[in-house]
Amino acid sequence: MKPFEKIMKRPTLPNYYRQRHFQWPNTLPEIFDYLRQHDELPFLYGGDNWPYDAMCERQRRQGVSISQFLTPDLTVRQMAALAVRSFDNESRIVDACCGSGQLTRALIVEGVHPASIVAFDADTDMADIYCRLYPEATVMRSLFQEIDFRCENVIANPPFETAECAEFLRWLGDVQYPGDKAVLLLPVGFIDKQRPRMMQNVVRRFCTLCRTPMQESFARTNCRAEIVVLERL
């Protein structure tokens, strides 16, 4: 655990990354370590989801890397509710590209035990903060292409770039068996794409059970998205 001196005059969260001194916590794992050491966050905060809000503020000042467009609260609640209704409750849930655990947080609120969740993310900081926040769940630092075990129930906000999103769906088709399901946040209309040709082969491996528009905006992008429930054929 990295040690941090206590910040005597804490700024509000919207000002934290604008005023941040180099010795103050920067990443979410560092903020978590500060919280454990001083029993308070390094910034003034009155909300109930500091990892999401802090990461959005950090991205506002430092930019978004590797397509980390965090899933907003209302959307994760919609996705988690759909997952609980759609999934085989006897099987584990895979939180793919888990980030800081927004979807896991919503699943737990819906009554899913964290021990039944397996999560992974390619970003070390995201995997680290997930591990700290949800110690009962299983988390791995991994690209989705490196995951080769069966994923019966998948919930995810995958990368939105066309090639990466198509590759995610191809991977999903490989790690799921007929009848397995996924609740995904995808760019609007992505599931209808006919180009590139590879998309036709990918999409025909699934049946679309449900589609519903995202009812709120991402914090750091104007991309339009929809929640899609897929069943592997």
Side-chain angles (χ1 to χ4, degrees):
M1 181 184 295
K2 184 177 178 180
F4 292 99
E5 292 187 8
K6 188 170 183 177
I7 301 170
M8 302 311 297
K9 188 176 181 181
R10 293 178 295 157
T12 61
L13 176 55
N15 289 327
Y16 180 77
Y17 282 99
R18 182 171 64 85
Q19 302 175 3
R20 194 183 75 85
H21 299 179
F22 74 93
Q23 72 271 27
W24 290 4
N26 182 23
T27 66
L28 296 185
E30 289 177 348
I31 293 172
F32 185 91
D33 287 347
Y34 183 99
L35 175 61
R36 291 288 298 273
Q37 292 168 38
H38 299 291
D39 200 29
E40 65 182 17
L41 292 164
F43 42 77
L44 299 174
Y45 179 68
D48 65 354
N49 191 5
W50 70 262
Y52 173 80
D53 290 328
M55 188 64 177
C56 288
E57 286 297 327
R58 183 173 185 257
Q59 290 179 331
R60 187 160 74 94
R61 296 292 174 181
Q62 302 180 16
V64 178
S65 62
I66 57 174
S67 192
Q68 288 176 331
F69 301 121
L70 306 186
T71 318
D73 286 336
L74 177 59
T75 300
V76 296
R77 291 198 293 270
Q78 287 179 279
M79 293 176 70
L82 278 170
V84 168
R85 292 200 299 269
S86 304
F87 288 166
D88 175 1
N89 292 329
E90 298 302 315
S91 301
R92 63 189 171 191
I93 296 176
V94 177
D95 186 347
C97 310
C98 63
S100 62
Q102 276 282 90
L103 287 165
T104 289
R105 181 175 186 263
L107 287 169
I108 292 170
V109 171
E110 287 288 333
V112 176
H113 195 282
S116 67
I117 299 173
V118 175
F120 64 84
D121 199 280
D123 184 278
T124 299
D125 284 342
M126 292 296 100
D128 284 353
I129 188 61
Y130 185 103
C131 184
R132 288 165 164 80
L133 293 170
Y134 307 105
E136 292 183 89
T138 300
V139 62
M140 297 169 285
R141 182 193 175 280
S142 179
L143 298 167
F144 64 81
Q145 297 94 331
E146 297 169 339
I147 300 297
D148 59 2
F149 53 79
R150 182 183 179 186
C151 299
E152 300 94 326
N153 303 314
V154 173
I155 190 167
N157 171 7
F160 270 27
E161 291 83 356
T162 297
E164 279 283 292
C165 198
E167 177 65 12
F168 182 89
L169 288 176
R170 186 205 61 76
W171 164 83
L172 184 64
D174 288 344
V175 297
Q176 289 199 315
Y177 294 3
D180 293 345
K181 296 183 178 68
V183 177
L184 308 177
L185 188 63
L186 299 175
V188 169
F190 190 86
I191 203 70
D192 302 316
K193 278 182 175 289
Q194 298 298 307
R195 296 287 187 275
R197 178 175 290 275
M198 183 261 287
M199 278 298 298
Q200 298 178 39
N201 296 328
V202 167
V203 172
R204 66 167 57 108
R205 302 173 79 181
F206 299 96
C207 171
T208 302
L209 301 179
C210 175
R211 296 171 70 166
T212 184
M214 186 179 180
Q215 300 297 315
E216 57 189 329
S217 299
F218 288 105
R220 301 270 71 85
T221 179
N222 293 323
C223 289
R224 295 171 56 242
E226 61 181 342
I227 302 168
V228 180
V229 182
L230 301 178
E231 180 177 351
R232 178 71 163 84
L233 296 174

